Amino acid sequence: MLFSAMIKLSIVGNTTVICGIKAELTNPIVEAPGKGYIVPNVDLPPLCSSRFRPGPPAEQAQAASQFIADVIESSEVIQTEDLCIERGKLCWVLYCDMMCLDYDGNVLDACIIALLAALKNTHLPEVTISTETSKPEVNLEKRHGLHIHRHPVGASFCVFDDSILIVDPTAEEESLSTAQLTVVTDDEDRLCVVHKPGGTSLSGEKLQECISRATARQREIQKLIDKVIHSVKTAQ
């Protein structure tokens, strides 16, 4: 079963990311018998930018995948207990594949938005375990949406001269900046993740300014996603 969503950040630049979610039935891991799990992956192929080369995932793609995994865990966008069908026997695993089609900077924000939109568009079929055969039985006629517990949204910034902040940077602005920062907040104004991959230091005052801007952005993006999801449901 495959579900998808595509997001294009056209506020600044042309970054475009598509997210596909593949749901599979599997056995829970021994350490967490009452939970399913989510496996995110970010792909930055050569088609999205000349800076990326064919072959194994680049370091930036691996870092982005780990970042998304951290966001999923810290924000509790989905509680993995909801993916468990029968404790110790059967659960859902969601493979969340995000592919960048056009890279023009700010790819982490686009990945989070595409992931959230795809999760909200995902409907899993009803699954029971047969008492006679002990095998799973899937009812495709009965589907239910995922329970989205939190709505994380990222806001990325570039720092210039240790003082100037630029929101939603393009790829060119990222390459010229002295530091980059991504702040993820949720719909309860909780700070989920602060990601700063090196660069120059940032004052506490500037960091607080970034968090405040990220909180305001979260509300705007969540309203936009809900509006789009509603329009899709209405059109079906």
Side-chain angles (χ1 to χ4, degrees):
M1 281 157 286
L2 186 65
F3 313 90
S4 66
M6 183 170 71
I7 179 69
K8 181 174 183 179
L9 289 185
S10 56
I11 300 173
V12 178
N14 296 294
T15 294
T16 305
V17 173
I18 187 169
C19 177
I21 297 181
K22 182 174 67 172
E24 289 185 358
L25 293 172
T26 187
N27 297 320
I29 59 177
V30 177
E31 294 81 4
K35 298 180 179 180
Y37 47 101
I38 304 172
V39 182
N41 179 67
V42 177
D43 188 12
L44 301 175
L47 68 88
C48 72
S49 174
S50 59
R51 71 173 62 195
F52 303 115
R53 297 288 181 264
E59 181 179 349
Q60 185 175 351
Q62 295 180 40
S65 297
Q66 184 57 54
F67 169 80
I68 296 298
D70 293 342
V71 170
I72 292 172
E73 181 178 1
S74 62
S75 68
E76 297 180 335
V77 57
I78 289 179
Q79 292 187 357
T80 49
E81 290 86 352
D82 295 343
L83 299 177
C84 181
I85 298 169
E86 186 163 336
R87 183 179 177 85
K89 293 184 178 180
L90 193 66
C91 71
W92 287 106
V93 53
L94 302 181
Y95 294 99
C96 306
D97 295 309
M98 288 145 278
M99 176 178 286
C100 183
L101 304 179
D102 190 356
Y103 183 92
D104 193 19
N106 205 9
V107 72
L108 297 181
D109 293 3
C111 285
I112 295 174
I113 297 172
L115 173 65
L116 183 58
L119 288 172
K120 290 176 75 70
N121 194 40
T122 299
H123 291 76
L124 299 177
E126 182 181 273
V127 179
T128 56
I129 297 182
S130 172
T131 55
E132 297 179 357
T133 63
S134 297
K135 293 184 178 180
E137 296 180 346
V138 180
N139 186 351
L140 297 176
E141 299 299 321
K142 293 184 178 180
R143 295 175 179 266
H144 62 88
L146 294 173
H147 185 189
I148 308 299
H149 292 266
R150 300 282 188 272
H151 294 76
V153 172
S156 290
F157 307 85
C158 272
V159 183
F160 293 87
D161 298 328
D162 302 338
S163 59
I164 302 174
L165 288 175
I166 290 184
V167 188
D168 293 331
T170 63
E172 182 180 8
E173 288 167 342
E174 287 180 349
S175 65
L176 296 173
S177 67
T178 55
Q180 298 175 32
L181 176 72
T182 299
V183 178
V184 182
T185 58
D186 66 14
D187 45 332
E188 295 185 356
D189 294 346
R190 294 192 316 160
L191 182 61
C192 302
V193 175
V194 175
H195 177 66
K196 186 177 181 297
T200 57
S201 60
L202 196 65
S203 67
E205 182 182 351
K206 287 295 181 183
L207 178 59
Q208 187 57 53
E209 180 183 346
C210 292
I211 294 173
S212 298
R213 292 192 181 189
T215 302
R217 177 186 175 91
Q218 191 283 331
R219 299 189 187 100
E220 296 173 0
I221 296 299
Q222 184 179 339
K223 287 180 181 179
L224 182 60
I225 293 176
D226 290 342
K227 182 178 179 180
V228 172
I229 294 295
H230 177 72
S231 65
V232 169
K233 290 182 179 179
T234 303
Q236 290 176 345

